[in-house]
Amino acid sequence: EAQVTQNPRYLITVTGKKLTVTCSQNMNHEYMSWYRQDPGLGLRQIYYSMNVEVTDKGDVPEGYKVSRKEKRNFPLILESPSPNQTSLYFCASSIPGLAGFTDTQYFGPGTRLTVL
Amino acid sequence: AQKVTQAQTEISVVEKEDVTLDCVYETRDTTYYLFWYKQPPSGELVFLIRRNSFDEQNEISGRYSWNFQKSTSSFNFTITASQVVDSAVYFCALSVNRDDKIIFGKGTRLHILP
C-alpha cells in the first residue's frame, strides 16, 4: 500500500530535549516536505527536499533541521524544542509534475507535538 | 510573491444545500498548479484535485465540482447536495514553476448541519 508514515503520532516533551520525528514514504517520490499546522494559520512549510542530499528552507525553518540521506526518509529534528513549536506536524511526498516542479502531495497522518 | 486567500473562515449550511468555497490566488508565474485538500475531523489531509494553469476546464467529480477562472485568479470548489460527511476543513493551495514551495490558504471550516 502506497503511504507516508510518521512516527511518533503523539509526543509530549520538555523544553530543550532534542527530538526527531521520522517520515518515510514507499512511493519512490523525489520530493518530500514538512509542514506545521496551527489554528488560524493553516499549513506552513518548514523544509522541503527535492532529492537525496538536497534540502531547502520553507517559510518557517527556524528551530528545525532536516536531512535527506535516503530517498524514502526525511526526518525532522528539533535540537532544542520550545513551547512555540507545539503544533501538528505533517510530512508529505510528491511526484515531479509539469515541468518538473511539485505535483500532488500525499500526506502522512500527522504528529501532534506538545512542548512543555 | 505567491499567496492563497480563502476569505471564508467558517461556513455552516443545512444538509442537502449546495455550498461554494472560495479560493483566490496570486502569482506572476504563468505555469502553476492549484490544489484542494480536505481535512476531516480525524485530522488527515486528503487530496481532492489538482489543476494546472494551462487547463481551465471545469471539473466535476460526483457531488464535487471546481471552477477555475484565470481571469479572476479563482479556483472555487462547490459541493452539491451537501452531506454531514462533508464537514471538514478545506484547504486550497498553489505551487509555482520557479519555486518548489507549496503555499496553502488558511482553510475554510465547513459545517454541514443535519
Side-chain angles (χ1 to χ4, degrees):
Chain A
E1 180 192 353
Q3 60 182 354
V4 179
T5 57
Q6 294 178 227
N7 282 292
R9 296 288 312 280
Y10 303 90
L11 179 61
I12 301 174
T13 188
V14 295
T15 299
K17 186 176 181 182
K18 181 179 179 180
L19 67 92
T20 298
V21 184
T22 64
C23 173
S24 183
Q25 50 94 5
N26 62 1
M27 296 169 278
N28 202 36
H29 287 169
E30 294 175 350
Y31 183 99
M32 296 186 75
S33 181
W34 277 102
Y35 297 87
R36 60 178 289 174
Q37 184 179 11
D38 302 289
L41 297 176
L43 286 107
R44 293 178 294 168
Q45 193 169 36
I46 303 171
Y47 269 95
Y48 62 96
S49 169
M50 293 298 292
N51 213 325
V52 176
E53 302 292 0
V54 180
T55 63
D56 210 344
K57 296 177 181 179
D59 293 319
V60 288
E62 294 78 22
Y64 304 95
K65 284 175 60 176
V66 292
S67 69
R68 188 89 182 275
K69 293 183 170 53
E70 309 165 273
K71 201 171 188 178
R72 63 181 293 127
N73 296 323
F74 190 44
L76 179 70
I77 303 157
L78 285 74
E79 295 271 4
S80 183
S82 62
N84 64 13
Q85 292 178 297
T86 292
S87 187
L88 178 59
Y89 291 86
F90 287 98
C91 179
S93 72
S94 170
I95 57 174
L98 184 67
F101 67 108
T102 310
D103 200 326
T104 308
Q105 291 200 82
Y106 298 88
F107 285 84
T111 295
R112 189 167 292 283
L113 172 65
T114 301
V115 183
L116 302 174
Chain B
Q2 282 62 244
K3 187 177 179 182
V4 176
T5 301
Q6 295 179 256
Q8 304 150 307
T9 307
E10 203 158 343
I11 301 174
S12 294
V13 301
V14 177
E15 197 173 20
K16 297 183 184 174
E17 288 185 356
D18 299 347
V19 58
T20 295
L21 309 183
D22 298 332
C23 173
V24 174
Y25 63 93
E26 293 176 30
T27 179
R28 292 181 180 177
D29 289 65
T30 57
T31 304
Y32 51 88
Y33 278 133
L34 293 161
F35 306 86
W36 276 95
Y37 284 86
K38 174 182 180 179
Q39 187 176 41
S42 51
E44 72 271 24
L45 282 157
V46 178
F47 164 76
L48 295 178
I49 190 172
R50 180 204 80 188
R51 245 313 164 253
N52 75 59
S53 53
F54 301 120
D55 183 3
E56 279 194 80
Q57 255 191 333
N58 291 333
E59 177 141 349
I60 297 174
S61 176
R63 296 183 296 106
Y64 294 173
S65 62
W66 291 268
N67 185 319
F68 176 28
Q69 291 197 338
K70 289 175 78 170
S71 60
T72 55
S73 297
S74 65
F75 186 43
N76 296 339
F77 172 32
T78 297
I79 302 174
T80 304
S82 60
Q83 299 176 0
V84 172
V85 293
D86 296 326
S87 296
V89 180
Y90 291 86
F91 292 98
C92 181
L94 167 70
S95 171
V96 301
N97 188 20
R98 62 173 176 83
D99 184 349
D100 297 309
K101 296 180 186 180
I102 294 185
I103 308 297
F104 281 80
K106 293 185 178 179
T108 296
R109 184 175 296 277
L110 178 62
H111 301 278
I112 307 298
L113 308 172

